[in-house]
Amino acid sequence: MTHEPRNAGAPTDTTFGLLLEKIRYEGAYPTRERAEESLRAVLGALGRQITGDERVALAAALPEEAARVFTADVPAVKQLAGAAFVGDLAERTGGTQATARWDAGVVLSQIAALVGDDLAAEVVSCLPPGYALLFGRAELLTQAA
């Protein structure tokens, strides 16, 4: 499935700057630099979890600088469930589980808002359980009857 980036035609610096400002505001980060640290850590970690068409579509929908961060590392062989993703993020950043959960939730919910509902849902569906809430979405569990 091909997705038209919502930010097509927008100046890259402006779009990346607006994304950082939204993350700074929503995350109540004291500085733009702190917001950017969170963005880079979370997008880098997410980039290690997503492969295939979803990886290509998400990278195309992100501002250029964010897309570079997202695609900088090769995807991991095994995807992490949401809780393990947060734990890995905490370990890599030297933070706590709580701050990693906060950073992931703030950044991923703003990424979801930027790329739109359809692509966000597609990305969440390609990941193991536990990511929907990080993207600001309810996670619906199906039960066998």
Side-chain angles (χ1 to χ4, degrees):
M1 175 179 269
T2 304
H3 295 277
E4 179 65 27
R6 285 186 149 195
N7 58 351
T12 302
D13 292 342
T14 303
T15 305
F16 185 70
L18 288 173
L19 177 60
L20 280 178
E21 284 306 312
K22 287 179 182 179
I23 289 169
R24 179 180 178 194
Y25 177 78
E26 293 299 324
Y29 296 117
T31 63
R32 184 180 171 116
E33 290 75 22
R34 176 62 183 94
E36 188 169 350
E37 286 173 18
S38 292
L39 173 72
R40 289 180 179 283
V42 172
L43 271 184
L46 184 65
R48 291 187 289 276
Q49 300 303 309
I50 299 177
T51 61
D53 291 343
E54 292 82 10
R55 182 178 176 89
V56 172
L58 185 55
L62 292 171
E64 186 178 335
E65 180 64 23
R68 280 196 297 267
V69 172
F70 174 67
T71 58
D73 288 336
V74 217
V77 174
K78 183 178 181 210
Q79 288 180 315
L80 299 173
F85 173 82
V86 169
D88 182 63
L89 183 60
E91 188 175 306
R92 287 176 185 270
T93 61
T96 65
Q97 291 274 338
T99 58
R101 166 66 179 87
W102 178 261
D103 291 346
V106 168
V107 171
L108 296 179
S109 65
Q110 291 307 305
I111 294 297
L114 176 71
V115 303
D117 290 338
D118 291 344
L119 181 53
E122 194 176 319
V123 167
V124 169
S125 72
C126 82
L127 292 165
Y131 284 86
L133 289 176
L134 296 174
F135 277 88
R137 309 273 188 274
E139 186 162 22
L140 302 177
L141 303 176
T142 57
Q143 295 179 310

